[in-house]
Structures are given as structure tokens and as C-alpha cells.
């Protein structure tokens, strides 16, 4: 058994980490990873988030109640839609924070990532109207 005592700086760093809330922890950008790989990862993340939103919309519109509980599909559908929208927002926020940490002028990156967000929201909007009309 290791009985080594914690050093004061280790104790301080663990307290700082504990004070960060969930969103601060997942939005932390240690370095500026704005590369082609990062762009494709960003696109993949939007694809997952869009899939969640569209699945939630489908569940709201055409889903059956499970276990015979009435309107439970509405509860789960709204939950899945909100989770997808939150993930889209977090993905966009993380992209903006990563661009802000770069040393170069980032305005092309801002345009690209903003366009990805707007395009993703457009897909959600079109899916909404296709399912409900």
C-alpha cells in the first residue's frame, strides 16, 4: 500500500478540477487543434448530433409508447431532440474556442464552423417540416 502524502500543489490542482463544472470540463481546449482532421471530426460530431435530433423528431411524430405508458414517446422525443441540439451547440462552442487559441487570424475558421452550424440547423429544420407536413 502506498502511503505517500499528497503535495500541496497536487491538492490545489485537484480542488481546481473539482470546482469546474461539467460544461467547463468538456469545453476545455488545451492546445489549438485546428487541422484538417479537426474539421472532419467536427463534421462527424454534427452528423451524430443531427441524427439524434432527427431521431427525436421521428419519435415525437411516429413513435409508439413503450410499456403501454401513454405519451412517453413525447417525453423521450423531446429529451433526445434537446440532447442533440445541446451537442450541436457544444460542438460549435468548442470549435470557436479552439480557433480563438490559434496564433493566426482565424476568420476563415469562424466562417467555416459557423456555416457548419447553420447547415446542421437547416437539416434539422427541413427534417422537422418533412416529418410534420
Amino acid at each position: 500500500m502506498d502511503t505517500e502524502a499528497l503535495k500541496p500543489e497536487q491538492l490545489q490542482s485537484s480542488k481546481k478540477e473539482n470546482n469546474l463544472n461539467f460544461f467547463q470540463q468538456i469545453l476545455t481546449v488545451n492546445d489549438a487543434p485546428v487541422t484538417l482532421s479537426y474539421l472532419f471530426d467536427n463534421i462527424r460530431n454534427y452528423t451524430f448530433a443531427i441524427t439524434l435530433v432527427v431521431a427525436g423528431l421521428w419519435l415525437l411524430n411516429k413513435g409508439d409508447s413503450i410499456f403501454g405508458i401513454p405519451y412517453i414517446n413525447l417525453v423521450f422525443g423531446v429529451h433526445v431532440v434537446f440532447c442533440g441540439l445541446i451537442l450541436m451547440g457544444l460542438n460549435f462552442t468548442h470549435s470557436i474556442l479552439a480557433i480563438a487559441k490559434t496564433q493566426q487570424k482565424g476568420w476563415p475558421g469562424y466562417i467555416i464552423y459557423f456555416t457548419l452550424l447553420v447547415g446542421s440547423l437547416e437539416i434539422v429544420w427541413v427534417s422537422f417540416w418533412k416529418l410534420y407536413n
Side-chain angles (χ1 to χ4, degrees):
M1 182 186 305
D2 188 17
T3 59
E4 184 178 309
L6 287 175
K7 296 176 183 173
E9 58 271 2
Q10 290 174 329
L11 189 59
Q12 285 290 349
S13 68
S14 66
K15 284 182 184 177
K16 287 180 185 176
E17 289 173 4
N18 289 339
N19 289 335
L20 292 177
N21 69 26
F22 175 73
F23 292 112
Q24 288 173 327
Q25 287 178 352
I26 63 174
L27 288 175
T28 300
V29 179
N30 295 330
D31 55 355
V34 182
T35 61
L36 185 61
S37 176
Y38 184 77
L39 175 66
F40 278 101
D41 287 344
N42 198 284
I43 293 169
R44 183 198 64 214
N45 293 342
Y46 277 121
T47 304
F48 290 148
I50 290 168
T51 303
L52 279 175
V53 173
V54 172
L57 290 173
W58 183 88
L59 187 58
L60 282 169
N61 190 28
K62 300 182 190 308
D64 291 330
S65 296
I66 58 173
F67 306 120
I69 302 171
Y71 305 112
I72 197 72
N73 61 319
L74 300 177
V75 173
F76 287 127
V78 168
H79 177 74
V80 171
V81 167
F82 280 132
C83 285
L85 291 173
I86 288 169
L87 287 174
M88 287 172 68
L90 288 172
N91 193 40
F92 177 70
T93 304
H94 191 268
S95 305
I96 297 303
L97 292 174
I99 292 171
K101 282 206 162 197
T102 60
Q103 299 295 329
Q104 302 134 353
K105 296 188 186 229
W107 64 268
Y110 290 119
I111 293 171
I112 290 169
Y113 292 117
F114 182 72
T115 304
L116 285 172
L117 175 68
V118 171
S120 300
L121 291 173
E122 181 68 20
I123 292 171
V124 168
W125 184 250
V126 168
S127 300
F128 173 78
W129 283 110
K130 290 290 182 182
L131 282 171
Y132 288 99
N133 285 329

